Amino acid sequence: MTVSLRERRRQQTARDIQLATLKLAVERGLENVTTEEIAASAGVSTRTFFNYYVNKETAAIGAPPAFRKEDKNALCDGTGALRNDLKRFLHRHMENLTKDEPILRMIGTVLRSNEKARGILEGFIIMERDELTEHLCRRVQNRQVAAALASSATDAIARTIHLWEQEKNLTLGAALDMVWDGLIESSHLLASTSKDA
């Protein structure tokens, strides 16, 4: 799919505003930054800022990368073991996030101190989880199972990013592998009929 020049410019302006917001927020705290300062730093008018974002919290979060349609379809139409297809799906999403690691770190800084920004991100995550549930229903034919899988997937992404932020020498892919191993082990414990598990 080819993106028009106009749309590329629009995306770049949105990104410039997000970067300006994040840089100022990391320096001074988002609550200590005005939309006027963000607009000036991004080289746009305050009116242009509000054409892109409703407030500084949404500007800080930006447009989180959604699960790619082709990856969701590959997960739902896969014929291999669901476990392997789901891990491949998550790794592809991590590869997509790796392109913006500096932004991801700055967003993490904002999220730790701004409840409103956390709520905005949670709204995006809920929408992605619900859409992933719909896709997974096609494969597993059970809404509750699909919802549990989608919740596990979005939770694994959040835990991966958190682990990656804490461990400076860890890649997103390696962090996902560690989180995935914990997820699989916990699934085994839940499936066990032993009293010790």
Side-chain angles (χ1 to χ4, degrees):
M1 178 173 81
T2 304
V3 178
S4 70
L5 178 60
R6 182 178 186 173
E7 182 57 26
R8 283 197 309 266
R9 285 183 180 155
R10 182 164 174 71
Q11 290 171 357
Q12 187 59 51
T13 300
R15 187 173 177 85
D16 291 346
I17 294 169
Q18 182 189 24
L19 282 171
T21 304
L22 289 169
K23 287 176 183 176
L24 290 169
V26 168
E27 289 172 10
R28 300 180 1 217
L30 190 58
E31 63 281 353
N32 299 317
V33 177
T34 67
T35 54
E36 291 80 8
E37 292 170 321
I38 294 167
S41 180
V44 299
S45 68
T46 304
R47 181 177 177 177
T48 298
F49 173 93
F50 285 112
N51 285 337
Y52 284 84
Y53 298 106
V54 297
N55 56 35
K56 61 188 177 182
E57 290 81 9
T58 56
I61 299 302
F67 296 131
R68 295 183 303 205
K69 184 176 181 177
E70 61 269 21
D71 293 338
K72 288 185 286 192
N73 288 336
L75 173 61
C76 296
D77 299 335
T79 57
L82 179 58
R83 168 185 174 161
N84 297 337
D85 290 347
L86 185 56
K87 186 173 184 193
R88 187 175 308 110
F89 171 82
L90 292 172
H91 264 290
R92 286 183 179 147
H93 190 66
M94 286 300 119
E95 288 169 4
N96 197 25
L97 292 179
T98 299
K99 298 172 189 170
D100 285 326
E101 285 184 358
I103 289 176
L104 206 54
R105 287 201 190 277
M106 288 189 283
I107 290 172
T109 300
V110 170
L111 292 174
R112 284 189 288 281
S113 64
N114 191 289
E115 187 175 334
K116 191 172 182 181
R118 285 192 302 273
I120 291 166
L121 181 59
E122 181 63 27
F124 280 112
I125 292 169
I126 288 169
M127 288 189 302
E128 285 298 303
R129 185 179 62 220
D130 290 348
E131 190 174 323
L132 185 56
T133 297
E134 293 304 316
H135 275 74
L136 284 165
C137 275
R138 291 187 352 226
R139 180 159 179 177
V140 299
Q141 305 295 309
N142 181 311
R143 176 161 297 286
Q144 295 310 312
V145 172
L149 287 167
S151 288
S152 293
T154 55
D155 183 58
I157 291 167
R159 289 188 300 126
T160 295
I161 293 169
H162 179 74
L163 179 61
W164 169 76
E165 286 180 308
Q166 304 304 310
E167 303 289 334
K168 298 299 180 202
N169 294 323
L170 198 61
T171 65
L172 280 167
L176 175 60
D177 289 339
M178 293 171 71
V179 168
W180 182 259
D181 290 344
L183 180 61
I184 296 302
E185 183 62 29
S186 67
S187 297
H188 291 305
L189 290 172
L190 287 173
S192 175
T193 58
S194 169
K195 287 184 179 180
D196 295 333

